[in-house]
Amino acid sequence: MESHNGSTRATDPAHMTDAPSKTPATRRVPAQARARKTRELILEAAIQLLEKRGLRGFSTNRLAEASGFSVGTIYQYFGNKQDVLDALARHERDRRLARSTKTLTARAKESGAAGLSLRERARIVVQNELRAFDGRQRARKILFDLQWRSKQHRDMDRPLKIFADMLVAGQVADGEQADVHLGAIDAFVLTQAVAGVVRAALERDEHMLLLPEFEDSLVELIVNFLESRRRKA
Amino acid sequence: MESHNGSTRATDPAHMTDAPSKTPATRRVPAQARARKTRELILEAAIQLLEKRGLRGFSTNRLAEASGFSVGTIYQYFGNKQDVLDALARHERDRRLARSTKTLTARAKESGAAGLSLRERARIVVQNELRAFDGRQRARKILFDLQWRSKQHRDMDRPLKIFADMLVAGQVADGEQADVHLGAIDAFVLTQAVAGVVRAALERDEHMLLLPEFEDSLVELIVNFLESRRRKA
Amino acid sequence: MESHNGSTRATDPAHMTDAPSKTPATRRVPAQARARKTRELILEAAIQLLEKRGLRGFSTNRLAEASGFSVGTIYQYFGNKQDVLDALARHERDRRLARSTKTLTARAKESGAAGLSLRERARIVVQNELRAFDGRQRARKILFDLQWRSKQHRDMDRPLKIFADMLVAGQVADGEQADVHLGAIDAFVLTQAVAGVVRAALERDEHMLLLPEFEDSLVELIVNFLESRRRKA
Amino acid sequence: MESHNGSTRATDPAHMTDAPSKTPATRRVPAQARARKTRELILEAAIQLLEKRGLRGFSTNRLAEASGFSVGTIYQYFGNKQDVLDALARHERDRRLARSTKTLTARAKESGAAGLSLRERARIVVQNELRAFDGRQRARKILFDLQWRSKQHRDMDRPLKIFADMLVAGQVADGEQADVHLGAIDAFVLTQAVAGVVRAALERDEHMLLLPEFEDSLVELIVNFLESRRRKA
DNA sequence: AATGAATGAGCCTTCATTCAT
DNA sequence: AATGAATGAAGGCTCATTCAT
């Protein structure tokens, strides 16, 4: 029924903009600013609510109360409850992706001409993923699930594919890695395997996420799979 | 030892007992038989309902209607709605595990003294897993999720560990595999990775499950991981 | 719809007999004995259940479970749930009355020719009443209420009247008390005033029941009222 | 922000506020007015329902139907069923207290410098109490009970203490009564004794309430108790 | 832009009672 | 005499959503 927000790229700074088409450019800037602010406030309250009460306790009425806005207002910004959750999920996914990308790039630069080995890159990504669940763990887990179950495959998968490619791709020629191009299915398998393990660990015991052996195990899962794919190609 | 779950009252201590052995001798047999039948009928109706209406449409009242029993009766057999779902989930998991185990054993026997290679065993398991979702896919997916999110880690994980061990263990000496003993964490990672991939595929597109490339990809994921672990050990 | 039990006098040893008319005298004594036993077991379980779960948690199904008999059996002995409660209430009332009567008589005997003063008698009764709620306080409070609200005025009031008279009546001539004969209304007022105070104290704070000042206050309430009535007469 | 009572959620702390003073100034007046009206309509329907169907027949669904609002609306104004009953009970208690206080003051004024004797004051209070149960007797009896059983001791007892003091306190010096200050326990005993008698009479036979002898008996109960307390002090 | 009163279908669960065995 | 499976009306309550203001 309403605005939403564009999907936006991870690194995109214009992130979450939902000014819809009707406001070409110059109409009532203060109102727009207020709207943006309102939207953000609602989302922030939403995350907190999710963290505190879980998905079951996350109701529009409760969100209204928690955000300080009325239900009506929330429906002004989001078509329905699901939309709020979707916006949240997208936001989390983007944050995670952006973080990995950034770290990967930064480390690659540091490492100079030699570039990072596959195993190094894998470890960076894994660490990033594992540490993403520090605060607001509950909310993140829920969103993680939601994302997964989401009907918006198309929308949600694209960034993951990009991400997988980035993991595989060497930044430079170092003899070792000539851009392995992962097939769609292999990318899917790799991506979801990692996600599945993390999800499960999150469910079972959050401490597991921080065990070195756990990290190692995941890295090996990734590296060995990728190497076998490269051999095949 | 299985099936059921707490009859009637949540506080019922006689919970989980399935073996009718304690009954002195022949008393109450007709009642017991009827009870068992009823329970089964309810569960069958439950699966169908889950398939047809999804988790959201799965209400106790609806289950009553669908099963042909009254709500009261359902509550005589299951402490609450969740118990029904749990019983269903357990049932599915056991079926899957049993099937893999059986196939594995059968094929090992066929293959004679040489035994099965790791890759062969992995493929058997994967195929089994992938084909488990023939009919009632929706219900199975839901139960799969439920199982995953279940608080009953202990209960749910044990069979998986056994299963992982069985996958790894060679039946006989064929030079290649001297019983790789998977550590707890590695077993967890492997198991959940596979589950994660299957779950995701189920969500995205059920057809994917039957693509040969998908199967291959999964097998490689497993085999390469296990081989790397063996090398390490 | 069934059995019930006779009202019986407090001191009546044949108390709680519910053998209905159909069994004149001699039929199947063992069966009768068993029936009596069963009935008692049910009532005992009922009190315990009431104590443990309160009136709200007191259901026929629960009673069946707690008593070790089936619901059907309970309905064999009591026409309906209310009947069980009524039997319990009567039982409690009788116990309390019997106790007061006994103590009063005993003390009167001890005190020799002089007899007990009104104040002494009042105190005995009050103490008895206050201490009646030692164990099973919860159950007793509930039954107390039930009794009060009971539709069976006729049945419930008679013993109270007798009791009031006994309180007022001196056992012997001691100059002081020439049998004050309480009018029906005065007896009602006195009786219910005491009951009301006890009930309220029970609700507010059980410890209050044991405070000496509380006991004193109640005794004064009674004594002063009775003396004023005597003056009037 | 106002009146109501715990709106919506049981955990709402802004419970019981009645003074509308805090509202900044003039905002939301129409909505507020409507809300107040709705609340009152619900309460009125509630009393009627209680009168007609008794406590057992008093269900939220029935109240919705009777009030002409939906269940949802009722839950917007009262946290749960008990809250409705509590509000009703409080309302009744306040009415009764207010009435006694008013009559007492008025009569004291009329009586001039001499003031009212203790017996006169007692009679006023008793009459007031007895006549409070004209219409809606059933509802009042139920609420009376509820009040009694209420967990909100603190809240419910305070007004009673004030009331007891007022009963005891002479308005002016008339030689007879120099402010007898009732101890907390004595006040409790007196108060609950009267309440107990009235309650019981209500239960047994409403006509009793109007018998002159009944009134006399109660007055004597009060007066004699208070005089004995005064002597003691 | 914002409000929030109102809705009502529907949810999960309880429990007194019956009756065939 | 005893059982206990089965019943189903009814209960309290939630919550996404609408719409007049």
Side-chain angles (χ1 to χ4, degrees):
Chain A
M1 194 129 302
E2 211 268 335
S3 57
H4 288 123
N5 59 333
S7 77
T8 76
R9 185 73 322 95
T11 47
D12 188 350
H15 202 199
M16 291 274 129
T17 303
D18 68 330
S21 40
K22 29 175 165 168
T23 327
T26 43
R27 221 197 40 147
R28 268 208 286 158
V29 182
Q32 279 225 12
R34 172 143 72 115
R36 166 131 58 232
K37 193 76 187 177
T38 301
R39 204 191 138 89
E40 268 157 30
L41 288 171
I42 292 173
L43 285 177
E44 178 54 26
I47 279 256
Q48 286 178 28
L49 182 58
L50 210 50
E51 182 67 29
K52 206 193 311 177
R53 323 273 313 224
L55 190 56
R56 294 266 290 277
F58 184 84
S59 73
T60 50
N61 287 319
R62 215 108 76 173
L63 177 54
E65 192 185 0
S67 69
F69 292 97
S70 70
V71 228
T73 298
I74 288 169
Y75 274 84
Q76 211 106 37
Y77 286 91
F78 300 90
N80 54 33
K81 181 175 145 168
Q82 194 53 50
D83 279 5
V84 179
L85 259 4
D86 286 348
L88 244 30
R90 221 179 332 262
H91 195 251
E92 282 304 307
R93 179 208 58 189
D94 289 346
R95 269 191 37 157
R96 235 174 26 245
L97 250 36
R99 209 153 82 140
S100 275
T101 306
K102 211 178 72 187
T103 318
L104 224 40
T105 314
R107 291 283 192 87
K109 206 164 292 175
E110 290 171 24
S111 71
L116 298 165
S117 71
L118 179 56
R119 181 164 273 104
E120 283 167 330
R121 272 178 287 133
R123 187 167 299 272
I124 289 169
V125 169
V126 165
Q127 285 180 349
N128 204 74
E129 203 68 9
L130 297 183
R131 286 167 196 165
F133 293 86
D134 289 338
R136 322 238 239 227
Q137 307 217 24
R138 193 178 179 190
R140 283 204 238 273
K141 183 163 63 181
I142 294 167
L143 292 173
F144 195 96
D145 269 31
L146 245 38
Q147 233 177 98
W148 210 342
R149 234 168 306 166
S150 167
K151 291 287 170 225
Q152 315 180 29
H153 318 321
R154 213 45 47 91
D155 194 29
M156 294 307 264
D157 281 351
R158 208 177 333 120
L160 291 182
K161 180 65 172 69
I162 292 171
F163 164 74
D165 282 342
M166 173 168 315
L167 169 61
V168 184
Q171 300 305 88
V172 256
D174 65 340
E176 186 193 15
Q177 64 248 26
D179 250 36
V180 184
H181 197 64
L182 266 192
I185 287 194
D186 286 334
F188 181 88
V189 166
L190 178 62
T191 284
Q192 300 303 330
V194 174
V197 173
V198 172
R199 227 234 74 137
L202 220 41
E203 200 74 68
R204 247 35 123 193
D205 177 12
E206 296 160 359
H207 302 317
M208 198 192 283
L209 292 177
L210 302 177
L211 294 179
E213 303 140 89
F214 184 71
E215 185 184 313
D216 291 344
S217 196
L218 251 184
V219 168
E220 291 310 310
L221 184 73
I222 295 172
V223 168
N224 285 287
F225 178 69
L226 285 177
E227 283 177 343
S228 87
R229 295 292 87 181
R230 192 188 301 163
R231 253 174 271 131
K232 170 195 167 199
Chain B
M1 215 107 307
E2 202 274 325
S3 71
H4 291 143
N5 87 324
S7 53
T8 323
R9 300 276 151 262
T11 48
D12 189 349
H15 206 195
M16 295 271 116
T17 305
D18 215 39
S21 44
K22 349 177 174 176
T23 346
T26 41
R27 225 193 33 137
R28 213 96 307 276
V29 179
Q32 283 230 5
R34 173 145 68 117
R36 169 129 56 233
K37 193 76 188 174
T38 300
R39 208 192 127 88
E40 267 156 30
L41 289 172
I42 291 173
L43 284 177
E44 179 55 27
I47 278 258
Q48 286 178 29
L49 182 58
L50 210 49
E51 183 66 29
K52 203 192 313 175
R53 325 274 313 224
L55 190 54
R56 297 264 289 274
F58 184 83
S59 78
T60 52
N61 286 322
R62 219 115 68 173
L63 176 54
E65 192 186 6
S67 68
F69 292 96
S70 69
V71 228
T73 297
I74 288 168
Y75 276 86
Q76 206 110 46
Y77 288 91
F78 301 91
N80 52 36
K81 182 175 144 168
Q82 192 52 224
D83 278 5
V84 179
L85 260 3
D86 286 349
L88 244 30
R90 227 184 324 267
H91 198 250
E92 283 304 307
R93 177 207 61 187
D94 289 345
R95 268 190 39 158
R96 237 173 26 244
L97 251 35
R99 212 156 76 143
S100 276
T101 306
K102 212 179 69 188
T103 318
L104 224 40
T105 315
R107 292 282 192 86
K109 206 164 292 176
E110 289 171 25
S111 71
L116 298 166
S117 72
L118 180 57
R119 180 163 274 103
E120 283 167 329
R121 274 177 284 131
R123 187 166 300 271
I124 289 170
V125 169
V126 165
Q127 285 179 349
N128 204 76
E129 204 68 9
L130 296 184
R131 287 167 196 164
F133 295 85
D134 288 338
R136 325 238 234 230
Q137 308 216 22
R138 192 179 181 190
R140 282 204 240 273
K141 182 167 65 184
I142 293 167
L143 292 173
F144 196 95
D145 270 30
L146 244 38
Q147 225 178 104
W148 211 342
R149 234 167 306 163
S150 168
K151 289 289 169 225
Q152 316 182 27
H153 317 322
R154 211 46 47 91
D155 196 28
M156 295 305 266
D157 281 350
R158 210 175 332 118
L160 292 183
K161 180 66 173 72
I162 292 171
F163 165 73
D165 283 340
M166 173 165 316
L167 168 61
V168 184
Q171 302 305 90
V172 252
D174 65 339
E176 187 193 15
Q177 67 249 25
D179 251 36
V180 185
H181 197 62
L182 264 194
I185 287 192
D186 286 333
F188 181 87
V189 166
L190 178 62
T191 284
Q192 300 303 331
V194 175
V197 173
V198 172
R199 227 233 72 136
L202 221 40
E203 199 75 67
R204 250 30 126 195
D205 176 12
E206 296 158 359
H207 301 315
M208 198 193 283
L209 291 177
L210 302 176
L211 294 179
E213 304 139 88
F214 184 72
E215 184 183 313
D216 291 344
S217 195
L218 250 183
V219 168
E220 291 311 311
L221 183 74
I222 295 171
V223 168
N224 285 288
F225 178 70
L226 285 177
E227 283 178 343
S228 87
R229 296 291 87 182
R230 190 189 300 161
R231 251 174 271 132
K232 170 195 166 198
Chain C
M1 201 123 302
E2 208 269 334
S3 57
H4 287 126
N5 60 332
S7 78
T8 78
R9 185 72 322 93
T11 48
D12 188 348
H15 200 198
M16 292 274 125
T17 303
D18 68 331
S21 42
K22 31 178 164 165
T23 327
T26 43
R27 222 197 39 149
R28 268 207 288 157
V29 182
Q32 278 228 9
R34 172 145 70 116
R36 167 130 59 234
K37 193 77 187 175
T38 300
R39 205 191 134 89
E40 267 156 31
L41 287 172
I42 292 174
L43 284 176
E44 178 56 26
I47 278 256
Q48 286 178 29
L49 182 57
L50 211 50
E51 181 67 29
K52 206 193 311 178
R53 323 273 314 223
L55 190 54
R56 295 264 292 276
F58 184 83
S59 74
T60 51
N61 286 319
R62 215 107 78 170
L63 176 55
E65 192 187 0
S67 69
F69 292 96
S70 69
V71 229
T73 299
I74 287 169
Y75 274 85
Q76 210 105 37
Y77 287 89
F78 300 90
N80 54 35
K81 181 175 145 168
Q82 193 54 50
D83 279 5
V84 180
L85 258 4
D86 286 348
L88 242 32
R90 223 179 331 263
H91 196 252
E92 282 305 306
R93 179 208 59 190
D94 289 346
R95 269 191 37 158
R96 234 170 31 243
L97 250 36
R99 211 155 78 143
S100 275
T101 306
K102 211 178 70 187
T103 319
L104 224 40
T105 314
R107 291 283 192 86
K109 204 164 292 174
E110 290 171 24
S111 71
L116 297 165
S117 71
L118 179 56
R119 182 164 272 103
E120 283 167 330
R121 273 177 286 132
R123 188 167 298 271
I124 289 169
V125 169
V126 165
Q127 285 180 348
N128 203 74
E129 203 68 9
L130 297 184
R131 288 168 194 164
F133 294 86
D134 287 340
R136 322 238 238 228
Q137 306 216 27
R138 192 178 180 189
R140 282 204 240 271
K141 183 163 64 181
I142 293 167
L143 292 173
F144 195 98
D145 270 31
L146 244 38
Q147 230 177 99
W148 210 344
R149 236 168 306 165
S150 167
K151 290 290 170 222
Q152 316 182 27
H153 317 321
R154 212 44 48 89
D155 195 29
M156 295 305 265
D157 280 352
R158 208 177 333 119
L160 291 182
K161 180 64 173 70
I162 292 171
F163 164 73
D165 283 342
M166 173 166 315
L167 168 62
V168 183
Q171 301 306 88
V172 254
D174 63 340
E176 185 194 15
Q177 66 249 26
D179 253 34
V180 184
H181 197 62
L182 264 194
I185 285 191
D186 286 334
F188 181 88
V189 166
L190 178 61
T191 284
Q192 300 304 331
V194 174
V197 174
V198 172
R199 228 233 72 140
L202 221 40
E203 200 72 68
R204 248 33 125 197
D205 176 12
E206 297 160 358
H207 302 315
M208 198 192 283
L209 292 177
L210 301 177
L211 294 179
E213 304 140 87
F214 183 72
E215 184 183 314
D216 292 344
S217 195
L218 249 184
V219 169
E220 291 311 311
L221 183 75
I222 294 173
V223 169
N224 285 286
F225 178 70
L226 284 176
E227 283 177 344
S228 87
R229 295 291 87 184
R230 190 189 301 163
R231 252 175 270 132
K232 170 195 166 199
Chain D
M1 201 128 303
E2 205 271 328
S3 71
H4 293 137
N5 87 320
S7 52
T8 322
R9 299 278 150 261
T11 48
D12 190 347
H15 206 199
M16 292 278 115
T17 305
D18 220 36
S21 42
K22 345 176 178 177
T23 345
T26 42
R27 225 194 33 139
R28 211 100 302 281
V29 179
Q32 284 229 5
R34 172 144 70 117
R36 169 130 56 230
K37 193 77 188 175
T38 300
R39 205 190 131 90
E40 267 156 30
L41 288 171
I42 292 173
L43 284 177
E44 179 55 28
I47 279 257
Q48 286 178 29
L49 182 57
L50 211 48
E51 182 67 29
K52 202 191 314 175
R53 325 274 313 225
L55 190 55
R56 296 264 289 274
F58 183 83
S59 77
T60 51
N61 286 322
R62 214 109 76 170
L63 177 54
E65 192 185 5
S67 68
F69 291 96
S70 70
V71 227
T73 297
I74 287 168
Y75 276 86
Q76 205 110 46
Y77 288 91
F78 301 90
N80 54 34
K81 181 175 144 167
Q82 193 53 225
D83 278 4
V84 179
L85 259 4
D86 285 349
L88 244 30
R90 222 178 335 260
H91 198 250
E92 283 304 308
R93 179 208 58 189
D94 289 346
R95 271 191 36 158
R96 234 170 31 242
L97 250 35
R99 212 154 80 141
S100 274
T101 306
K102 213 179 68 186
T103 319
L104 224 40
T105 314
R107 291 284 192 85
K109 206 165 291 174
E110 290 172 24
S111 72
L116 298 165
S117 73
L118 179 57
R119 181 164 272 104
E120 283 167 329
R121 273 177 284 133
R123 188 167 299 271
I124 289 169
V125 169
V126 165
Q127 285 179 348
N128 204 75
E129 204 68 8
L130 297 183
R131 288 168 195 164
F133 294 85
D134 290 339
R136 324 237 237 228
Q137 308 217 24
R138 192 178 181 190
R140 283 205 239 273
K141 182 166 64 182
I142 294 168
L143 292 173
F144 196 95
D145 271 30
L146 245 38
Q147 225 178 104
W148 212 341
R149 234 167 307 164
S150 167
K151 290 287 168 225
Q152 315 182 27
H153 317 322
R154 210 48 45 92
D155 196 28
M156 294 306 264
D157 282 349
R158 210 176 331 120
L160 292 182
K161 181 65 173 69
I162 292 172
F163 165 74
D165 282 341
M166 172 166 317
L167 169 62
V168 184
Q171 302 306 88
V172 254
D174 64 340
E176 187 192 14
Q177 65 250 24
D179 251 36
V180 185
H181 198 63
L182 266 193
I185 286 193
D186 286 333
F188 181 88
V189 166
L190 178 61
T191 283
Q192 300 303 330
V194 174
V197 174
V198 172
R199 225 233 75 135
L202 221 40
E203 198 76 66
R204 248 35 123 192
D205 176 13
E206 296 159 359
H207 301 315
M208 198 192 284
L209 292 177
L210 302 177
L211 295 178
E213 304 139 87
F214 184 72
E215 184 184 314
D216 290 345
S217 195
L218 251 184
V219 168
E220 291 312 311
L221 184 74
I222 294 172
V223 168
N224 285 287
F225 178 69
L226 284 177
E227 282 178 343
S228 87
R229 295 292 88 181
R230 192 188 302 164
R231 251 176 272 132
K232 169 195 168 201

